[in-house]
Amino acid sequence: MCGIAGIVQFCDHSPRSADIERMTDVMRHRGPDGRGQIVRGAVALGHRRLSILDLTEAGAQPMANAGLDQWITYNGEIYNHWDIRKELDVANHQYRSRSDTETILLAYDRWGGDAFVKLNGMFALGILDERRRRLILARDRFGVKPLYYYFDGKIFLFASEIKAILTHPDVKKSVCHQALDEYLTFQNILTDRTLFEGIKLLPAGTTLTLDLTQKEPRPVLSQYWDYSFPEKPLDISFEEAAEETHRLFVQAVERQLLSDVPVSSYLSGGLDSGSITAIARKKTGRMLTFTGGFDLSSASGLELGFDERKASEYLSNLLKTEHYEMVLHAGDMEHVMPELIWHLEDLRVGQCYPNYYIARLASKFGKVCLSGAGGDELFGGYPWRYYRGAESKDRESYFQNYYSFWQRLVPDSDKRKLFTPTVQASIKDQTSFGLFRDVFKNFEHSLDSPESYVDGSLYFEFKTFLNGLLLVEDKMSMAHSLETRVPFLDNDLVDFASQLPARYKLKNLFEVAMVDEDEFGKRAKQELSSGDGKIVLRKALQKVLPEEITNRVKQGFSAPDATWFRGESVDYVNELLRQPGARIHDLIEPAYINHVLDEHTSGKQNKRLLIWSLLSLEHWMKNYF
């Protein structure tokens, strides 16, 4: 796990070694174990190393092939790289390392861009192919590892983090107002934009190729993989589906234990992290586990269930792990925000400061930690979301219903009150609904039945919500030189789960889809009483965990911020967002901010997600502008 960077200079002189050095040094947190760089004509590659596989110098990067005409800088882990070596069966090749980096180079030399489809793992990489005179970037299927790029016609830059690109003297910083509109609608960015004008995120499952023979080259993007939900799902019984889910899940966890350093795990006390820990513990013999909790002395309502320490302690005792936990209090957020937002840089979904603290705790004990991310998106863990679409009458009503749910922060009707005139003028031709619909442009389902609506919702959340979660998880963990692995996002497991009928994930699908909207309160009662989601996964993991865990109601990792923003943290929020001269006022009307804060503090509405995003934006402006 590492940090990568590169420069392509389309002019008469080569990239300066000082420029690539600055790019990698600003990401030293991603790779404290080593650094390297090369300049080859018009191209420079840089690398910061966090040693996980082959801890020797043989695994150092940038790495070249035997002929010194192909060079790679790479961030990630390929869990099937030994299998790929067997498939390659390179005659008379003397391997110089035990690293997956060398395996990728050989696979690329054999199969070219088709090699990336064979990789089971997480990766972001750049390969300088001097033989074919091209640079190729690639990002893993699911977008676990980030990769950003910038191109102005004269210079091309790429890096694991935006801040590395910003170190280059030719890059001028400005806010992308279109991306800001996306963020304040969805608390996410659905396109390849970032909040920095001109800096883009390479989409998951995509390659970017730059032809180095052209005088005026243009990056060429090609999607090599996408999620597939067939019109006709697998013809398989529920029991067979559960059995195969169990087999593939065990295989996935065991694959991701590949490491030359110890592997630990997050342990929330729920189904996903608990099952990962149980399987890994059985394989390794001893594991360290980590969880976080919250001081709930001032919490109320649903927030009283936010602390998972009791459940995680029960599981730790059951599985006999070496368990560590920490408690977060009101005030911990404001203390860490400047540092956290500097690391996050690309603002995305949800309150992430608890993740930052727990990653810091885990990093004190090792370099690798397993996470349960992806289980909900894969097996339908958010039924109350899918029901919004499942009640639709046709394709168009589905888009309208699901779009209305995903306006998480500011509805379209408030946009004129939200943005300053300058921002309004910049985004006038953009429609958030259009961006939402564009996510489905490669979704081949007909969208004409409850099951197809659920598959469409799962597809959307894979492409957007999960993508945002993974970006945040990467930044929060790598800030502390910690590699986070996600066993649920195993190629074989994802491919199988996406072929399963929706009714194996949501037991109340058809009943909910037929609810009469005119009957007051019926839908709300149905959603609250269903106890739904991840049905086949719960069945599959009964072999791994006790029933009280497999049947446990879903609980997210969230702080009681709604109460804290009205109580202990209210002065901090007011000082940061209401003060004259706040940087966010360059983008957002102060009157709208004051209205949001008044609505929340009075208890009329719960605006905790929007308040978090406004706080994040203010710190982002201070950090980067």
Side-chain angles (χ1 to χ4, degrees):
M1 195 56 59
C2 311
I4 67 173
I7 305 172
V8 183
Q9 197 95 33
F10 297 104
C11 55
D12 294 334
H13 59 82
S14 298
R16 294 180 291 264
S17 59
D19 289 342
I20 192 68
E21 188 174 333
R22 276 196 305 273
M23 291 180 73
T24 54
D25 281 355
V26 78
M27 299 186 295
R28 63 177 61 89
H29 50 277
R30 297 186 73 93
D33 297 334
R35 58 190 287 194
Q37 63 184 62
I38 55 119
V39 178
R40 305 279 292 186
V43 182
L45 300 179
H47 191 264
R48 294 291 310 206
R49 186 183 186 195
L50 182 65
S51 303
I52 305 294
L53 293 179
D54 192 344
L55 310 184
T56 71
E57 280 302 305
Q61 299 182 48
M63 181 183 289
N65 65 353
L68 299 181
D69 59 1
Q70 291 174 340
W71 294 79
I72 184 173
T73 182
Y74 151 67
N75 167 32
E77 303 291 353
I78 306 304
Y79 307 115
N80 66 332
H81 91 94
W82 290 111
D83 294 331
I84 292 175
R85 286 194 178 192
K86 293 176 185 177
E87 186 178 351
L88 283 165
D89 189 25
V90 181
N92 302 318
H93 178 78
Q94 297 295 317
Y95 283 98
R96 293 167 292 158
S97 74
R98 298 177 60 255
S99 72
D100 52 349
T101 312
E102 186 176 2
T103 306
I104 295 172
L105 260 183
L106 287 168
Y108 170 78
D109 187 54
R110 169 73 67 84
W111 297 301
D114 293 336
F116 305 125
V117 181
K118 296 176 177 287
L119 304 182
N120 193 342
M122 52 184 180
F123 60 88
L125 58 84
I127 294 176
L128 171 60
D129 187 345
E130 294 180 322
R131 192 185 312 160
R132 299 177 179 89
R133 297 294 298 146
R134 69 184 183 187
L135 174 77
I136 185 166
L137 308 184
R139 193 162 171 234
D140 65 71
R141 295 182 178 199
F142 315 116
V144 182
K145 304 311 298 178
L147 189 57
Y148 300 93
Y149 67 96
Y150 169 89
F151 180 63
D152 66 359
K154 298 178 181 179
I155 189 169
F156 179 86
L157 307 170
F158 70 89
S160 297
E161 297 188 4
I162 294 171
K163 62 179 67 67
I165 293 174
L166 296 176
T167 66
H168 197 280
D170 289 355
V171 177
K172 309 304 179 187
K173 288 183 292 186
S174 62
V175 179
C176 178
H177 295 157
Q178 289 80 9
L180 179 67
D181 179 37
E182 290 188 61
Y183 177 65
L184 288 176
T185 303
F186 306 109
Q187 202 180 38
N188 203 357
I189 299 176
L190 308 189
T191 64
D192 61 354
R193 300 184 185 114
T194 71
L195 287 172
F196 295 90
E197 186 68 53
I199 298 179
K200 295 185 176 182
L201 174 69
L202 183 66
T206 300
T207 62
L208 181 154
T209 304
L210 207 58
D211 186 342
L212 301 179
T213 66
Q214 296 180 353
K215 290 184 179 180
E216 297 182 358
R218 289 289 181 269
V220 177
L221 274 66
S222 177
Q223 185 175 12
Y224 68 84
W225 186 88
D226 197 7
Y227 299 97
S228 176
F229 290 86
E231 289 280 357
K232 292 185 178 180
L234 281 175
D235 184 10
I236 187 175
S237 72
F238 181 80
E239 289 70 23
E240 290 170 328
E243 189 69 30
E244 183 65 358
T245 298
H246 173 264
R247 186 188 72 81
L248 291 173
F249 183 68
V250 172
Q251 175 181 272
V253 175
E254 291 182 349
R255 274 178 179 161
Q256 298 203 14
L257 294 176
L258 176 72
S259 177
D260 290 332
V261 299
V263 177
S264 59
S265 182
Y266 294 126
L267 184 62
S268 68
L271 176 69
D272 297 345
S273 64
S275 56
I276 289 171
T277 303
I279 294 166
R281 163 72 176 81
K282 186 176 181 180
K283 188 73 174 179
T284 62
R286 181 68 170 169
M287 285 202 77
L288 276 68
T289 53
F290 308 95
T291 194
F294 304 99
D295 172 16
L296 302 180
S297 58
S298 61
S300 60
L302 293 174
E303 293 176 335
L304 293 172
F306 283 5
D307 192 343
E308 294 191 315
R309 282 176 294 162
K310 185 175 180 179
S312 65
E313 288 166 3
Y314 167 76
L315 262 184
S316 173
N317 180 62
L318 181 71
L319 301 175
K320 300 297 182 284
T321 69
E322 184 178 334
H323 191 61
Y324 296 88
E325 60 186 31
M326 69 178 301
V327 184
L328 295 175
H329 303 264
D332 287 332
M333 178 194 67
E334 51 229 62
H335 173 74
V336 80
M337 281 294 279
E339 178 183 344
L340 181 153
I341 298 300
W342 183 82
H343 281 288
L344 182 57
E345 63 181 12
D346 188 10
L347 303 184
R348 302 278 167 159
V349 296
Q351 286 100 321
C352 58
Y353 71 90
N355 307 68
Y356 187 83
Y357 276 112
I358 303 306
R360 188 179 71 179
L361 171 65
S363 72
K364 296 181 184 300
F365 296 87
K367 295 181 179 181
V368 181
C369 198
L370 303 176
S371 165
D376 289 311
E377 291 75 16
L378 198 58
F379 288 99
Y382 305 106
W384 57 91
R385 296 180 185 171
Y386 319 134
Y387 294 154
R388 306 299 177 99
E391 298 166 310
S392 303
K393 294 181 175 63
D394 53 34
R395 186 183 184 91
E396 287 307 311
S397 66
Y398 166 75
F399 285 138
Q400 291 290 344
N401 290 337
Y402 214 49
Y403 172 69
S404 65
F405 173 78
W406 278 104
Q407 295 178 78
R408 287 167 67 90
L409 298 185
V410 180
D412 292 338
S413 57
D414 279 6
K415 293 291 179 65
R416 290 196 173 276
K417 294 181 287 185
L418 170 71
F419 292 121
T420 63
T422 300
V423 177
Q424 280 284 359
S426 182
I427 65 173
K428 63 179 180 179
D429 295 328
Q430 175 169 286
T431 67
S432 301
F433 180 66
L435 298 177
F436 174 86
R437 285 197 60 154
D438 282 348
V439 175
F440 295 88
K441 63 180 180 291
N442 294 326
F443 184 68
E444 298 177 351
H445 230 306
S446 56
L447 287 173
D448 58 2
S449 67
E451 286 210 341
S452 70
Y453 299 144
V454 170
D455 284 345
S457 300
L458 292 173
Y459 179 84
F460 176 84
E461 295 198 17
F462 263 123
K463 302 280 284 188
T464 60
F465 185 70
L466 179 62
N467 187 264
L469 290 176
L470 294 172
L471 282 173
V472 170
E473 182 62 49
D474 172 85
K475 302 295 179 63
M476 296 299 92
S477 59
M478 291 305 290
H480 307 292
S481 307
L482 178 73
E483 173 180 295
T484 301
R485 297 181 176 183
V486 280
F488 275 105
L489 299 183
D490 170 88
N491 292 1
D492 296 335
L493 182 60
V494 171
D495 288 344
F496 177 73
S498 62
Q499 309 300 307
L500 290 176
R503 66 181 180 274
Y504 288 178
K505 301 169 186 177
L506 302 168
K507 64 184 179 184
N508 290 311
L509 172 62
F510 295 98
E511 291 87 344
V512 171
M514 298 302 292
V515 166
D516 181 0
E517 282 291 340
D518 293 330
E519 185 175 342
F520 179 76
K522 187 171 183 179
R523 186 175 74 174
K525 293 177 184 178
Q526 179 76 46
E527 291 178 0
L528 289 172
S529 64
S530 66
D532 206 348
K534 300 200 287 195
I535 306 304
V536 72
L537 183 65
R538 294 177 190 273
K539 176 68 174 178
L541 296 180
Q542 286 177 0
K543 293 183 177 183
V544 178
L545 293 172
E547 190 171 337
E548 61 263 35
I549 299 298
T550 59
N551 290 335
R552 188 180 175 214
V553 175
K554 165 141 184 84
Q555 171 64 56
F557 183 40
S558 180
D561 292 314
T563 296
W564 288 350
F565 287 159
R566 296 186 184 103
E568 289 98 323
S569 298
V570 68
D571 290 341
Y572 164 75
V573 172
N574 287 334
E575 180 181 348
L576 204 65
L577 299 180
R578 295 187 196 259
Q579 62 175 322
R583 295 303 312 278
I584 200 174
H585 295 170
D586 295 343
L587 307 170
I588 299 173
E589 291 289 357
Y592 191 83
I593 295 174
N594 291 336
H595 171 72
V596 168
L597 299 183
D598 290 343
E599 288 280 285
H600 185 85
T601 53
S602 68
K604 291 181 180 178
Q605 293 193 50
N606 183 354
K607 294 288 189 178
R608 71 183 186 95
L609 293 181
L610 180 53
I611 293 173
W612 161 264
S613 292
L614 294 175
L615 293 171
S616 298
L617 274 169
E618 176 65 15
H619 281 291
W620 181 79
M621 291 287 288
K622 287 182 174 180
N623 262 315
Y624 289 103
F625 292 89

